Amino acid sequence: MSSVIKLKGKGVSRIIKSKVMLSPLAGVTDKVFRNLVRKWAPESLLFTEMINATSLKHGYGITKIKQLELEQGPIGVQIFDNRPFAVGEAAKLAEDLGAFLIDINMGCPVKKISRKGGGSALINDRLLAVELVKRVSKAVQIPVTVKTRLGWNNKEENIEGFLLSLQDAGAEMITLHGRTRKEGFSGKADWDMIGKIKELLEIPIIANGDIKNPKDAINCLKKTKADGLMIGRGVLGSPWKIGEIDLAIKKLKGFKEPNIEEKLLLINEHLDELIKEKGTHGLLIARKHISWTCKNFQGANDLRNKLVRAIDAKEVKELLFKAIKTLNNDQKILT
Ligand SMILES: Cc1cc2nc3c(=O)[nH]c(=O)nc-3n(C[C@H](O)[C@H](O)[C@H](O)COP(=O)(O)O)c2cc1C
């Protein structure tokens, strides 16, 4: 199996040098978070949050990718919408702004999106899904990919036929979250089924779902023979996770999980960058990340409760540095 993923594109080819990718995560994988992930994962393909086609062209969406060209390494832009013309236009704009590739969201189960015919609803509207891939492939020179699930209500819906038609329409890589839309996040991701689909398709298949650490990643690659892996919830609070898994797959040593002091400094840096990027609203976003990162060590619960209740960034920083000062040689918070 090749260690790199090659995508031809219509006019611009791309090589992905790592098998481990960061999932698009709405409300999480913004520029600031991607930059943190990048510190540990220089070669990985990182995805933006899903962006609505109209908002990308006319509204808030554009702010999400406005400085793509300043980011290090490959960034895939994920678009959701069910109107081929709008998605084509948005994709072109994202390409002009520096997208490495365009991914079309055909898996989001959120009702607000699927009710309007986007996300996972496209599994049920296969002609439209094919039309979307064709339109976007025509609009851009870079590769076009799709992220979807194993079905709408169940796994007997000939999802294989659906995926083959997307491949024929020009999709150059497909990420499969190993659950149906109905399953949401319940049960276990079906890696066996991803493996069966991998055998049928010619384009690279990326396995997704329930990969949280190097052991899961190695098992999933073994079971599915997928060309790559995409990690979602496993990075919440652990921006080093993509890099950690990448090194393990490449059988390279050298990963060291940040100790408590480093985690607290990371929270501080994340907060600073969020405030720089989003003003005081950055604190609200930081709280979410604090609650994911500040856990699983002695004193974490108490500190977390204080951090998420702090009224401003200054108070968060004071609490962080006070905690760091009390750390003893065993990395235990003593107060
Ligand atoms: C908070 C959150 C936001 C998500 N946002 C998106 C999104 O914008 N686009 C998308 O295709 N999937 C989205 N997903 C799904 C993930 O990309 C991924 O497919 C799913 O979480 C399964 O992978 P995991 O088990 O590694 O988390 C989201 C999931 C979560 C938990």
Side-chain angles (χ1 to χ4, degrees):
M1 201 191 298
S2 168
S3 61
V4 298
I5 300 171
K6 292 181 186 162
L7 307 177
K8 279 205 207 97
K10 202 172 64 196
V12 178
S13 62
R14 299 295 202 196
I15 294 180
I16 305 169
K17 293 183 186 157
S18 163
K19 284 183 184 298
V20 192
M21 304 175 188
L22 171 68
S23 273
L25 295 169
V28 178
T29 57
D30 56 17
K31 185 178 93 178
V32 175
F33 188 74
R34 292 194 300 269
N35 282 341
L36 287 186
V37 171
R38 184 62 82 204
K39 288 177 176 225
W40 285 272
E43 296 186 328
S44 284
L45 174 60
L46 313 182
F47 279 90
T48 63
E49 316 167 63
M50 60 180 170
I51 309 174
N52 172 262
T54 307
S55 108
L56 187 57
K57 185 119 200 285
H58 300 291
Y60 178 66
I62 189 80
T63 62
K64 295 189 175 176
I65 57 167
K66 68 178 189 298
Q67 287 175 324
L68 228 44
E69 81 285 356
L70 299 181
E71 291 187 45
Q72 304 291 315
I75 307 290
V77 173
Q78 192 191 57
I79 301 178
F80 75 96
D81 209 298
N82 66 338
R83 294 160 306 141
F85 184 71
V87 181
E89 278 197 330
K92 175 76 178 85
L93 194 64
E95 177 182 58
D96 291 345
L97 289 173
F100 183 82
L101 56 76
I102 303 293
D103 188 73
I104 309 175
N105 182 322
M106 299 195 187
C108 180
V110 173
K111 285 212 176 90
K112 205 169 76 183
I113 288 162
S114 61
R115 241 193 254 123
K116 289 186 188 156
S120 58
L122 288 160
I123 298 173
N124 277 343
D125 198 341
R126 299 185 173 192
L127 288 179
L128 180 57
V130 161
E131 181 56 27
L132 279 167
V133 171
K134 283 187 179 162
R135 182 63 76 111
V136 179
S137 304
K138 210 168 151 195
V140 298
Q141 301 292 312
I142 53 180
V144 177
T145 65
V146 168
K147 180 167 177 286
T148 187
R149 287 177 172 245
L150 295 180
W152 173 258
N153 272 330
N154 59 61
K155 294 176 190 163
E156 316 299 325
E157 297 166 358
N158 187 19
I159 199 75
E160 296 86 348
F162 175 57
L163 301 175
L164 284 166
S165 66
L166 297 179
Q167 173 179 276
D168 288 347
E172 288 200 50
M173 178 171 89
I174 293 179
T175 301
L176 283 170
H177 176 187
R179 293 182 173 86
T180 62
R181 187 273 328 176
K182 192 177 178 187
E183 286 173 315
F185 284 91
S186 65
K188 276 200 73 140
D190 188 345
W191 295 346
D192 288 327
M193 187 160 169
I194 296 177
K196 284 186 192 134
I197 292 170
K198 162 68 196 158
E199 282 178 20
L200 290 176
L201 278 102
E202 284 164 25
I203 55 175
I205 293 296
I206 308 304
N208 171 239
D210 299 345
I211 305 161
K212 293 209 160 60
N213 52 48
K215 193 167 156 231
D216 293 340
I218 288 162
N219 285 340
C220 182
L221 277 180
K222 209 183 268 174
K223 209 166 211 177
T224 60
K225 309 263 187 307
D227 301 273
L229 304 170
M230 196 179 267
I231 319 293
R233 289 165 294 171
V235 299
L236 301 181
S238 312
W240 55 85
K241 200 52 78 178
I242 303 284
E244 178 186 353
I245 295 176
D246 187 41
L247 283 179
I249 286 176
K250 289 174 175 159
K251 297 198 172 75
L252 294 172
K253 292 204 165 55
F255 173 77
K256 198 172 132 286
E257 176 156 338
N259 62 24
I260 300 172
E261 178 173 357
E262 287 160 345
K263 284 180 186 171
L264 298 180
L265 288 171
L266 191 67
I267 291 175
N268 182 59
E269 179 187 347
H270 199 167
L271 174 67
D272 280 344
E273 292 303 316
L274 280 169
I275 299 278
K276 217 188 280 172
E277 188 69 18
K278 305 178 197 249
T280 48
H281 180 64
L283 178 61
L284 295 181
I285 300 169
R287 281 191 185 131
K288 199 165 54 179
H289 292 279
I290 288 169
S291 65
W292 290 324
T293 305
C294 188
K295 64 178 186 193
N296 298 334
F297 55 85
Q298 192 177 313
N301 290 357
D302 186 42
L303 178 60
R304 186 175 64 243
N305 286 335
K306 288 181 184 150
L307 289 170
V308 296
R309 282 175 179 75
I311 51 163
D312 55 21
K314 185 168 163 271
E315 190 183 343
V316 173
K317 292 165 97 58
E318 280 166 7
L319 287 163
L320 285 172
F321 285 101
K322 190 170 155 221
I324 289 171
K325 262 195 200 151
T326 69
L327 279 170
N328 67 6
N329 290 339
D330 298 330
Q331 289 282 302
K332 286 184 180 146
I333 294 175
L334 296 176
T335 55

